[in-house]
């Protein structure tokens, strides 16, 4: 096969992959419409072999906690209460009464576990750590030291713990330095209040564009009329019906894939396919504006993770100076993973689109970035301990990612660390706080 024909086939395959839409994804697996509630998907593609003579020597990682229950007890009690009140008044349809009974079971299952890691969430980080070990065994040999830091939130600490226990099961001689300190929150989960205030302020271009986009795509009336017998009833008695539709029923529906109830219950039949697609479309746009690279609010929200990126660079430099660098593992939240990925511009996720309709059309899909247990791994390679010119590749959710076009790989997904370091440090220094 000629080189030209090979290149053409690669191009055609790429075009076919890019032609897949979110609708195609949802038709194949409707749970992908769950946005940041999507449970982790294990990688499907094999890794590209390292250049001859190079071996993995160090991993720098940031991961979101695993699958969890919803935040706040009212996330479960309020929608159930709304339906119970309507049922007592004889105002629920048969479909509405079925929904109420499922919500009761979901509420009872979540009791005492609000915001906590689920069994699936623990398994996700256990499995990610085992794959990390099996893919890069040279990083975890002997009594290598693994440094791990977590957000102070319990589900993050437990995610870290499950990962470290998995690594220890592979190699009992590993040593660990782990911590979950408020002192680390400046990079593990940094809350930049100045940037937050610029996300979507009242009257801003970002807010106007988002509200119009939401108006075009979000319609809760048909759903409400399927659940309640009388439209006048729900309009008079259900406060904030949009919140009931999206922030309550849809969230419970989407998060059930992270609990053990996923084996026996589902809420997807209460929505049409088009409703689920449009809810995701609106939420995808919201995430793009509030934590992504949207130019509608200046394109600066991604810099909320500047401290994390600096920490990744600094700790990599320190580790690579050692004969046995080991690994640095960090556990936090999706509101860090998403802007970090966009700041790094992995797979083009840092691209700016002013028209919100262009986001999904160009393949910017949040569920591919920050599903439960989502992670970014910098994997470093060198020829020997004295090598001062290491290579690096970046994995997004354990799949090889492309870096910005201005960075040229040595081969495949492998880049010179010196080039990568220089590019990102300049990007950080150009940002004016």
């Amino acid at each position: 096969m000629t080189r030209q024909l090979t290149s053409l086939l690669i191009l055609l395959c790429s075009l076919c992959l890019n032609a897949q839409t979110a609708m195609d994804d949802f038709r194949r697996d409707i749970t992908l419409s769950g946005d940041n509630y999507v449970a982790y998907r294990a990688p499907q593609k094999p890794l590209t072999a390292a250049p001859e003579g190079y071996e993995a020597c160090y991993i720098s990682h940031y991961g979101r906690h695993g699958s969890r229950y919803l935040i706040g007890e009212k996330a479960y009690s309020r929608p159930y209460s709304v339906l119970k009140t309507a049922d007592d008044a004889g105002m629920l349809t048969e479909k509405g009464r079925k929904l109420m009974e499922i919500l009761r079971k979901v509420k009872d299952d979540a009791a005492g576990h609000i915001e906590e890691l689920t069994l699936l969430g623990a398994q996700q980080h256990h499995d990610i750590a085992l794959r990390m070990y099996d893919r890069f065994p040279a990083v975890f040999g002997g009594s290598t030291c693994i440094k791990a830091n977590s957000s102070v939130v319990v589900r993050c600490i437990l995610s870290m713990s499950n990962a470290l226990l998995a690594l220890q099961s592979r190699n009992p001689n590993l040593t660990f330095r782990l911590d979950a300190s408020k002192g680390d929150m400046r990079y593990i989960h940094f809350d930049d209040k100045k940037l937050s205030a610029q996300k979507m302020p009242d009257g801003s271009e970002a807010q106007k564009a988002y509200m119009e986009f939401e108006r075009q795509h979000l319609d809760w009336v048909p759903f409400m009329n399927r659940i309640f017998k009388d439209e006048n009833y729900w309009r008079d008695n259900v406060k904030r019906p949009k919140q009931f539709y999206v922030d309550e029923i849809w969230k419970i529906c989407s998060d059930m894939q992270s609990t053990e109830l996923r084996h026996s219950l589902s809420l997807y039949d209460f929505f049409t396919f088009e409703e689920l697609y449009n809810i995701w479309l609106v939420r995808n746009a919201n995430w793009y504006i509030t934590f992504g690279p949207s130019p509608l609010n200046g394109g600066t929200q991604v810099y909320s993770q500047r401290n994390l990126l600096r920490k990744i660079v600094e700790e990599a430099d320190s580790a690579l100076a050692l004969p046995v660098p080991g690994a640095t593992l960090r556990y936090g939240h999706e509101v860090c993973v998403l802007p970090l990925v966009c700041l790094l511009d992995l797979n083009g996720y840092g691209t700016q689109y002013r028209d919100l309709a262009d986001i999904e059309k160009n393949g910017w899909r949040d569920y591919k970035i920050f599903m439960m247990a989502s992670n970014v791994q910098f994997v470093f390679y060198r020829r020997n301990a004295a090598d001062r010119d290491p290579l690096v590749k970046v994995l997004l959710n354990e799949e090889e990612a492309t870096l910005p076009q201005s960075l040229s790989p040595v081969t495949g997904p492998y880049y010179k660390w010196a080039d990568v370091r220089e590019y990102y440090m300049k990007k950080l220094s150009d940002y004016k706080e």
Side-chain angles (χ1 to χ4, degrees):
M1 184 180 293
T2 66
R3 181 177 298 178
Q4 290 86 352
L5 181 56
T6 300
S7 298
L8 178 59
L9 288 174
I10 292 173
L11 176 60
L12 289 173
C13 288
S14 175
L15 290 173
C16 289
L17 287 173
N18 288 334
Q20 294 293 310
T21 66
M23 271 196 167
D24 294 327
D25 287 342
F26 300 162
R27 288 192 180 99
R28 186 178 68 254
D29 182 355
I30 194 58
T31 66
L32 290 173
S33 65
D35 194 63
N36 61 320
Y37 296 99
V38 172
Y40 194 72
R41 293 341 193 228
Q44 300 299 312
K45 301 174 184 176
L47 296 178
T48 306
E52 185 176 356
Y54 283 86
E55 186 174 54
C57 65
Y58 172 65
I59 296 173
S60 181
H61 153 282
Y62 185 93
R64 182 192 184 189
H65 57 75
S67 285
R68 60 162 170 80
Y69 289 93
L70 294 177
I71 304 297
E73 186 272 337
K74 288 185 178 180
Y76 297 99
S77 63
R78 183 181 183 276
Y80 173 75
S81 177
V82 168
L83 293 180
K84 183 65 170 66
T85 299
D87 187 45
D88 291 343
M91 284 292 122
L92 288 185
T93 62
E94 182 178 346
K95 201 171 188 71
R97 296 194 79 249
K98 183 180 178 183
L99 175 60
M100 180 186 70
E101 285 305 309
I102 295 177
L103 290 188
R104 180 184 60 78
K105 294 176 182 178
V106 174
K107 177 176 68 71
D108 291 346
D109 176 71
H113 300 292
I114 303 301
E115 305 179 19
E116 292 180 1
L117 196 71
T118 65
L119 291 175
L120 181 60
Q123 188 67 45
Q124 288 161 352
H125 278 288
H126 175 275
D127 293 348
I128 290 168
L130 290 186
R131 284 192 293 271
M132 189 185 296
Y133 185 98
D134 293 342
R135 286 170 145 192
F136 313 110
V139 174
F140 301 99
S143 58
T144 298
C145 181
I146 309 302
K147 182 177 181 290
N149 295 81
S150 166
S151 160
V152 296
V153 176
V154 173
R155 61 182 175 273
C156 299
I157 297 172
L158 290 175
S159 295
M160 174 176 69
S161 300
N162 278 279
L164 299 186
L165 286 170
L167 291 175
Q168 191 175 51
S169 74
R170 282 286 196 266
N171 179 5
N173 295 318
L174 287 171
T175 58
F176 299 97
R177 287 174 50 205
L178 63 153
D179 198 7
S181 168
K182 289 183 179 179
D184 293 327
M185 294 296 274
R186 179 168 172 77
Y187 71 89
I188 288 286
H189 186 196
F190 180 49
D191 180 17
D192 188 322
K193 298 190 184 305
K194 181 179 178 181
L195 275 179
S196 292
Q198 299 169 7
K199 289 182 186 298
M200 209 186 292
D202 290 345
S204 64
E205 180 184 11
Q207 186 193 54
K208 291 176 182 177
Y210 174 72
M211 294 301 289
E212 175 58 22
F213 191 75
E214 182 185 75
R215 186 193 65 78
Q216 293 173 11
H217 293 282
L218 213 56
D219 181 8
W220 51 90
V221 173
F223 174 88
M224 299 295 279
N225 285 338
R226 292 195 297 272
I227 302 303
F228 299 93
K229 289 182 177 179
D230 189 305
E231 183 168 332
N232 291 326
Y233 172 85
W234 66 257
R235 288 189 181 277
D236 291 339
N237 293 276
V238 180
K239 297 178 181 178
R240 301 185 297 278
K242 181 180 73 173
Q243 178 182 334
F244 179 81
Y245 174 57
V246 177
D247 295 335
E248 294 176 351
I249 305 300
W250 175 86
K251 278 187 180 179
I252 291 175
C253 172
S254 298
D255 191 61
M256 282 172 65
Q257 66 186 278
S258 286
T259 75
E260 295 306 292
L261 290 179
R262 69 187 184 278
H263 302 298
S264 58
L265 295 175
S266 172
L267 292 181
Y268 288 109
D269 288 345
F270 293 93
F271 296 87
T272 67
F273 179 86
E274 290 72 20
E275 286 169 345
L276 291 167
Y277 172 72
N278 279 291
I279 290 173
W280 170 80
L281 203 64
V282 169
R283 287 181 59 87
N284 189 57
N286 187 289
W287 283 107
Y288 181 80
I289 293 171
T290 55
F291 288 93
S294 175
L296 295 173
N297 53 15
T300 57
Q301 292 302 316
V302 298
Y303 287 94
S304 66
Q305 298 313 303
R306 60 192 181 278
N307 294 343
L308 175 56
L309 180 52
R310 282 197 186 96
K311 191 72 172 178
I312 289 171
V313 172
E314 291 167 0
E315 292 193 315
D317 286 344
S318 297
L320 291 167
L322 301 173
V324 183
T328 305
L329 311 178
R330 309 170 187 88
Y331 297 86
H333 305 266
E334 82 268 45
V335 293
C336 303
V337 172
L338 178 57
L340 174 64
V341 168
C342 295
L343 179 59
L344 295 169
D345 194 13
L346 300 182
N347 296 340
Y349 283 119
T351 305
Q352 296 189 336
Y353 306 104
R354 183 163 292 277
D355 188 341
L356 296 181
D358 289 337
I359 301 172
E360 193 277 334
K361 290 178 183 177
N362 286 280
W364 201 97
R365 299 169 198 160
D366 55 13
Y367 57 88
K368 291 182 176 290
I369 304 174
F370 65 173
M371 63 186 85
M372 298 286 185
S374 55
N375 57 91
V376 176
Q377 299 178 29
F378 288 74
V379 186
F380 292 82
Y381 293 75
R382 62 188 183 189
R383 288 161 290 199
N384 52 60
D387 188 354
R388 292 295 176 261
D389 192 20
L391 303 181
V392 65
K393 70 176 175 183
V394 182
L395 308 182
L396 173 58
N397 298 322
E398 302 180 83
E399 303 261 2
E400 291 168 339
T402 59
L403 298 187
Q405 291 184 353
S406 54
L407 285 168
S408 298
V410 174
T411 181
Y414 296 89
Y415 298 77
K416 283 191 173 184
W417 171 237
D419 295 343
V420 173
R421 185 190 189 284
E422 180 182 13
Y423 176 86
Y424 288 124
M425 292 306 288
K426 183 179 187 305
K427 187 171 185 176
L428 292 174
S429 66
D430 288 345
Y431 173 67
K432 306 304 178 185
E433 297 187 28

